[in-house]
Amino acid sequence: MKQKLSIIKIGGNVIEDENQLAKFLSSFSKMEGFKILVHGGGKLATQLAEKLGIQSQLVGGRRITDEESLKVITMVYGGLTNKNIVAQLQANNCNAIGLSGADGNTIQAHKRPVKTIDYGYAGDVDGINATTINALLTSGLVPVFCAITHNGKGQLLNTNADTIASEIAIGMSGLYETTLYYCFEKKGVLMDVAEENSVVKHINSQSYQELLDQNIIADGMLPKLENCFHALNKKVHKVCIGDISMLQPTKALYTTITL
C-alpha cells in the first residue's frame, strides 16, 4: 500500500495576511506524513513592480510576464515570499527547503506558445522530477515551491501555482497516494457566492456537470476545477478546496472532489 502525500497550494490572499499565514503555517506544520507546499506571490510582485516603475499587464486575470516583470517575480516569489515561508516553518519545527522548479531540475516547462496573446515568459509545465522530490521527502525535508519553473536552457518562467501543485500531485502519484489541497479565502466551492457557508461538500464528475449547467461554477472557479479534474484523471487520489481551517483534523466544512 502506498504512503500518503499531501500537496497544499496557498493563494495570494492567505500569503498577504500575516495572521492568516501564521495560522496556516502552524496547521501545515502539524500535518502528519509527507507533504509539499506550493505558493504564488499575490499582489506583492505587482506592488514592488509599481514602486520600480514597471507596469504590470493583466489580460483576463492572467499576467503578461515581460523581461522586467520576470525579474520582480523572481525576486518576490523565489526570494522574499519563499524564504519568509521557509523561515516561519522552521520556527514551527518543520524542516522546510525553499525551491523553484530550476532547483534540482524539479519542474521543467516551456514558454507558452503565442496564439492570440503573447504571455511573455509564462511557462507551461512539461513534467516534474519525482526522483529528486522523493529524495528530499525521504530525507525528512518539506519542499516549498514558488511559482517559478525553467526550460532547461537557462530561462526562468513564471508559472501558475495551481498548475504547479496539480502537476506535482500527478507526477508523485506513481510513488504515493496523493491528495491535492487548494487553500484560499473561501470555505470551498459555494452554491451561493453571497452565502459563505453554502459549501458544496462533495463534487464528482456527474455533479460537476450539473453545477456547470446551473452556472454555479463559473469565473475564477472554472480553471481551478478544470485543474482538479485534470489531476484526478491522472491518478491523483482526491482534491480538496477550502480555507485554512481545512487542514485541521476536526474541520468538516470544505469541498472534496473525486471522480
Side-chain angles (χ1 to χ4, degrees):
M1 192 167 153
K2 286 179 184 172
Q3 288 183 285
K4 292 179 180 178
L5 169 65
S6 302
I7 297 98
I8 297 97
K9 186 263 171 175
I10 45 166
N13 289 346
V14 177
I15 292 168
E16 281 149 26
D17 184 323
E18 277 184 35
N19 290 334
Q20 290 285 298
L21 182 60
K23 280 182 194 168
F24 167 82
L25 293 174
S26 173
S27 296
F28 176 81
S29 299
K30 293 184 180 96
M31 284 180 82
E32 292 186 357
F34 295 110
K35 56 197 173 188
I36 294 169
L37 183 57
V38 179
H39 68 85
K43 299 183 189 83
L44 201 57
T46 309
Q47 288 164 359
L48 181 59
E50 279 171 11
K51 281 182 187 170
L52 295 170
I54 299 161
Q55 206 62 42
S56 294
Q57 286 178 280
L58 294 170
V59 175
R62 286 178 182 262
R63 187 188 292 274
I64 306 285
T65 309
D66 61 22
E67 206 167 323
E68 293 305 305
S69 298
L70 183 65
K71 289 175 187 173
V72 175
I73 286 162
T74 305
M75 283 190 274
V76 175
Y77 294 9
L80 186 61
T81 302
N82 188 268
K83 299 313 167 199
N84 268 331
I85 288 170
V86 168
Q88 287 186 55
L89 286 172
Q90 298 295 356
N92 280 283
N93 298 312
C94 175
N95 194 9
I97 180 166
L99 303 161
S100 73
D103 296 297
N105 190 27
T106 42
I107 309 168
Q108 305 90 35
H110 62 271
K111 187 172 177 288
R112 185 173 301 150
V114 178
K115 288 177 184 170
T116 49
I117 298 163
D118 184 354
Y119 285 103
Y121 293 100
D124 291 330
V125 176
D126 294 320
I128 69 140
N129 189 332
T131 307
T132 300
I133 294 172
N134 190 46
L136 294 170
L137 291 169
T138 53
S139 67
L141 291 165
V142 175
V144 177
F145 284 98
C146 68
I148 295 170
T149 57
H150 78 129
N151 70 350
K153 297 168 188 169
Q155 181 62 57
L156 294 172
L157 296 164
N158 179 21
T159 302
N160 180 280
D162 281 3
T163 305
I164 286 177
S166 164
E167 292 294 341
I168 290 172
I170 291 164
M172 298 306 290
S173 63
L175 300 172
Y176 295 90
E177 182 186 287
T178 56
T179 299
L180 177 57
Y181 295 85
Y182 284 120
C183 193
F184 70 148
E185 67 278 8
K186 305 270 190 234
K187 292 182 179 178
V189 177
L190 305 178
M191 283 296 284
D192 177 359
V193 181
E195 177 44 62
E196 63 169 35
N197 289 319
S198 64
V199 174
V200 184
K201 287 192 176 181
H202 186 242
I203 297 173
N204 60 21
S205 307
Q206 187 184 335
S207 62
Y208 174 53
Q209 193 53 54
E210 288 164 10
L211 292 166
L212 282 175
D213 293 343
Q214 294 163 29
N215 212 32
I216 286 163
I217 293 172
D219 305 325
M221 198 48 88
L222 263 175
K224 225 178 212 21
L225 268 288
E226 282 168 9
N227 250 333
C228 295
F229 279 99
H230 171 65
L232 292 167
N233 282 312
K234 298 274 190 175
K235 303 283 190 287
V236 170
H237 179 60
K238 68 178 175 185
V239 185
C240 303
I241 297 178
D243 65 13
I244 59 170
S245 57
M246 170 174 60
L247 302 187
Q248 292 163 5
T250 54
K251 179 67 182 173
L253 201 59
Y254 58 89
T255 303
T256 300
I257 304 161
T258 58
L259 285 177

